Amino acid sequence: MTVRRAGTPGLRATAAVPQVPTAAPSGPGASDQLVDELYRGHALRLTRMALLLLGDKPSAEDVVQEAFLGLFRGLGRLSDPGHAVAYLRISVLNGCRSVLRARKRARLRGTATDYPAVWSAESAALAGEERREVLQAVAQLPRRQREVLVLRYFLGLSDSEIAADLGVSRGTVVSTASRALAALARKAGEQA
Amino acid sequence: MKGLEDLPMQAMEERVRDAFGAAAETVTAQDLPGPPTPAGRSRAARGLRARTSRVRMHVLVPVAAAACVTAIVVTATVVVPKLLAGPSAGRAGGPAAPAFFAGVAERPLGHFPPSTVLNIYRSATGRVVATARPPKPDHVFAAVARLGSGHTYVAAAMTSFRGCRTQLYRFSIDSRGRPSELTPLSVPQVTGSVMELVGSADGNVLAYTASGRCAPRGHQVAGVIHLATGQVTTWPYLMGRTTFGSVSLTADGSLLGFADGTDGPYGPEDAWVLPTDSPPGPLTSHARKVLHVSTGVFRVVLNNAGSQAYVETLSAPHGGAVVLSEYSTTTGKRIRLLGRLGPGGKALAELSISVDAADRHLLVYGYNNFHRMTVMNLRTGHLAPVTVARPTIGSPFSCAAW
């Protein structure tokens, strides 16, 4: 099996991330403009992040749309527009958790009709069986471990930033990531 | 994933990065809908800054709360009714919602056979400002629709409770919300019981769906009436494993929109358009499918131009909220999410929507909770609840219009 040394550079957080305006919006049009800029700059990354947590595109799009709707409502209370991206990221995380909880309830009621995940066999969107296996293994991890992996390896956030987003200590992030990777390796070993 | 057990942690990290990157690339910028239209955007647009310090807030909160209550009471009782009561409500084509809407109400609720009235509600407060009785004692109001962009409406009244015939009546609402006398439209009576009724913004075309004991067995009928010529065209629809409904018209009445499709877990999943000059025949034979929404098309309303459609659907396949989204009828793609209409669950298919003539505001009402209506500004997404003070809307279909 070949281990790829690099992911997709364009998607890494270390790649160019749109700058967030740091000045407070002033005037009726300014906040609209700010949110539009944020949408243009970050909606794609956030949708991709939601996709990795939820598995399907429609749900991911809806969660991100809801997050931006929430931003409109909360923008007046946001003292520093520079925090808007973190606000959006946390909103998306919370939205994903809500969707996953709703899915769980629906499964218990026997009414679940999920969209197929991009890594499922039903979806032809993702190329590469190894990638599918990795993503399926990630999807089976506990929620916090999944979130830490996505924030760290997709968004490229530092452990401190992840800790702030998840409301846990930096040490917890490190140990959670370590346990998640170990679980993935174990899973891979079982499948071998 | 052979041999992964022995891979160093760094290699596992790279595999995760690679898989994440590949999966993420399945979403492209072209897939994204546009920026959402916000609810409550006005607050943000005003640039309100909320908090100063906790100590000052501690002092200010009770004072501010008292001031807010006073302001709300004054606004609700004095300012808003004045603004919306008269012709000034729609001044210069401004963004104000129509001042009144008409609704069919049953009274007393549950009485058999039903006794219905036509209520005129003030949009801002939900209060009934006028009531009209059916033109004849045995008539039963079934639906109401706005006709044209002014204050003219059409009410459908079954000529008897058996529902074999429905007579259409025209009436108007004056600047104080009082309805004129109901005048029979000079068009043939509709066979069956009218379930849905819509009028075009140019005032020339009416469309309806009808069913009932006297309709052909197992059929519903969609019909269009060209008021200038009196020409009536009907398209039968055989009810079976598929359902149809939610008719709407473009401003010039040239296109009829409707939802139709296999009755999935969320009802029909497709939206269609049919040129209203199509020859009679099976409904879908001349129609064109323009949208497929897998989370259901509970209601669909074409915009005035017919280029877009407002679709009431679920935000997720299960457990999602009921949302209103704007779709392109050309590409079939979602343009934007307009807002959340309801919590979903049991209430998911029990909402109805009615768009005003200017294509700017949406009236949302629920089958099981008629006292709570919502007005949505289609440009800003702002949602304003309206509590309807008195009787209930008596059917899930076109029972309210503005």
Side-chain angles (χ1 to χ4, degrees):
Chain A
M1 185 197 68
T2 310
V3 175
R4 289 170 181 78
R5 297 301 303 165
T8 309
L11 300 173
R12 300 276 294 276
T14 46
V17 176
Q19 293 298 305
V20 181
T22 51
S26 59
S31 53
D32 290 7
Q33 192 187 347
L34 171 64
V35 176
D36 286 348
E37 279 176 21
L38 285 166
Y39 189 87
R40 280 200 302 275
H42 296 274
L44 182 59
R45 280 164 55 80
L46 291 169
T47 307
R48 287 171 165 176
M49 171 187 142
L51 174 81
L52 293 173
L53 291 168
L54 297 174
D56 70 280
K57 209 159 31 175
S59 303
E61 282 178 12
D62 283 336
V63 163
V64 173
Q65 292 271 311
E66 286 288 336
F68 274 92
L69 281 171
L71 179 65
F72 271 119
R73 286 191 287 267
L75 196 60
R77 295 191 299 275
L78 205 61
S79 56
D80 181 0
H83 293 160
V85 177
Y87 174 93
L88 284 167
R89 204 165 54 227
I90 293 168
S91 295
V92 171
L93 276 175
N94 287 332
C96 291
R97 290 171 190 168
S98 297
V99 170
L100 293 171
R101 273 198 299 271
R103 285 181 185 172
K104 196 173 177 182
R105 283 198 300 272
R107 277 189 209 108
L108 289 173
R109 287 197 302 265
T111 56
T113 50
D114 294 349
Y115 289 112
V118 286
W119 49 79
S120 69
E122 299 163 58
S123 170
L126 183 66
E129 193 54 34
E130 291 168 5
R131 289 168 171 165
R132 283 179 198 271
E133 287 175 1
V134 170
L135 291 167
Q136 278 166 357
V138 170
Q140 289 166 10
L141 293 175
R143 172 178 61 80
R144 185 181 285 175
Q145 291 186 9
R146 281 199 313 272
E147 290 174 355
V148 166
L149 289 184
V150 170
L151 294 174
R152 196 192 237 194
Y153 298 116
F154 174 64
L155 289 186
L157 299 187
S158 69
D159 290 344
S160 304
E161 289 173 311
I162 296 171
D165 279 7
L166 299 183
V168 297
S169 70
R170 188 177 172 281
T172 303
V173 172
V174 173
S175 60
T176 304
S178 179
R179 277 199 298 274
L181 290 172
L184 290 180
R186 221 170 24 249
K187 184 98 180 159
E190 286 166 10
Q191 288 176 357
Chain B
M1 294 171 68
K2 288 175 186 174
L4 267 184
E5 203 172 21
D6 303 324
L7 286 175
M9 203 62 91
Q10 192 181 357
M12 193 71 235
E13 289 177 330
E14 289 304 330
R15 284 177 55 79
V16 171
R17 279 199 186 97
D18 172 62
F20 281 175
E25 274 189 334
T26 61
V27 180
T28 64
Q30 285 73 38
D31 294 329
L32 295 184
T37 308
R41 189 174 189 162
S42 56
R43 180 182 169 83
R46 289 200 306 273
L48 293 181
R49 283 284 174 271
R51 307 288 176 257
T52 50
S53 74
R54 284 189 177 190
V55 176
R56 289 176 62 191
M57 287 304 290
H58 185 70
V59 176
L60 285 175
V61 161
V63 178
C68 283
V69 169
T70 309
I72 289 167
V73 170
V74 170
T75 306
T77 57
V78 181
V79 180
V80 173
K82 275 191 177 177
L83 282 176
L84 295 177
S88 59
R91 48 190 183 279
F100 303 101
F101 64 87
V104 174
E106 215 175 285
R107 69 169 203 178
L109 192 63
H111 185 261
F112 186 85
S115 165
T116 55
V117 292
L118 199 57
N119 282 339
I120 312 302
Y121 299 86
R122 195 184 298 283
S123 303
T125 62
R127 288 194 174 278
V128 176
V129 295
T131 296
R133 292 179 184 281
K136 293 180 182 173
D138 55 347
H139 281 199
V140 178
F141 285 123
V144 64
R146 173 201 19 93
L147 182 64
S149 55
H151 303 287
T152 304
Y153 292 78
V154 173
M158 289 184 286
T159 55
S160 73
F161 183 67
R162 288 186 60 224
C164 280
R165 295 269 162 193
T166 302
Q167 174 70 52
L168 300 177
Y169 292 92
R170 187 198 300 263
F171 69 100
S172 59
I173 298 176
D174 69 14
S175 61
R176 297 176 64 185
R178 290 175 304 198
S180 66
E181 192 178 348
L182 275 69
T183 314
L185 273 179
S186 53
V187 294
Q189 289 186 342
V190 174
T191 302
S193 164
V194 166
M195 299 168 67
E196 297 180 76
L197 181 68
V198 290
S200 63
D202 68 1
N204 291 327
V205 182
L206 279 171
Y208 62 86
T209 61
S211 68
R213 293 177 190 167
C214 302
R217 189 179 178 82
H219 281 73
Q220 283 191 2
V221 170
V224 162
I225 303 171
H226 294 271
L227 295 172
T229 60
Q231 184 195 345
V232 180
T233 311
T234 58
W235 298 275
Y237 185 91
L238 180 62
M239 301 297 286
R241 293 181 62 192
T242 58
T243 55
F244 94 104
S246 190
V247 292
S248 63
L249 286 167
T250 51
D252 61 1
S254 62
L255 285 178
L256 174 76
F258 60 94
D260 171 44
T262 307
D263 209 359
Y266 312 111
E269 297 174 351
D270 302 319
W272 299 65
V273 294
L274 172 74
T276 53
D277 57 2
S278 300
L283 181 64
T284 51
S285 60
H286 301 284
R288 178 171 59 91
K289 189 179 358 178
V290 291
L291 291 179
H292 175 82
V293 183
S294 58
T295 47
V297 177
F298 303 157
R299 296 284 182 270
V300 57
V301 177
L302 294 178
N303 73 347
N304 274 346
S307 57
Q308 287 159 9
Y310 306 111
V311 177
E312 182 192 322
T313 183
L314 278 187
S315 62
H318 55 81
V322 178
V323 295
L324 188 80
S325 291
E326 192 175 357
Y327 282 79
S328 164
T329 55
T330 314
T331 64
K333 285 198 163 190
R334 188 172 75 170
I335 298 168
R336 57 180 178 156
L337 173 70
L338 285 160
R340 182 192 292 256
L341 299 182
K346 286 182 180 175
L348 56 84
E350 294 164 352
L351 295 173
S352 283
I353 53 180
S354 168
V355 180
D356 66 358
D359 207 7
R360 282 177 174 275
H361 297 89
L362 189 78
L363 185 68
V364 184
Y365 55 101
Y367 182 35
N368 272 349
N369 191 356
F370 311 106
H371 287 276
R372 286 179 60 86
M373 307 183 91
T374 305
V375 175
M376 173 186 273
N377 184 319
L378 291 170
R379 298 292 177 271
T380 66
H382 182 72
L383 288 164
V386 178
T387 301
V388 176
R390 216 158 33 102
T392 53
I393 308 294
S395 157
F397 299 113
S398 335
C399 281
W402 59 357

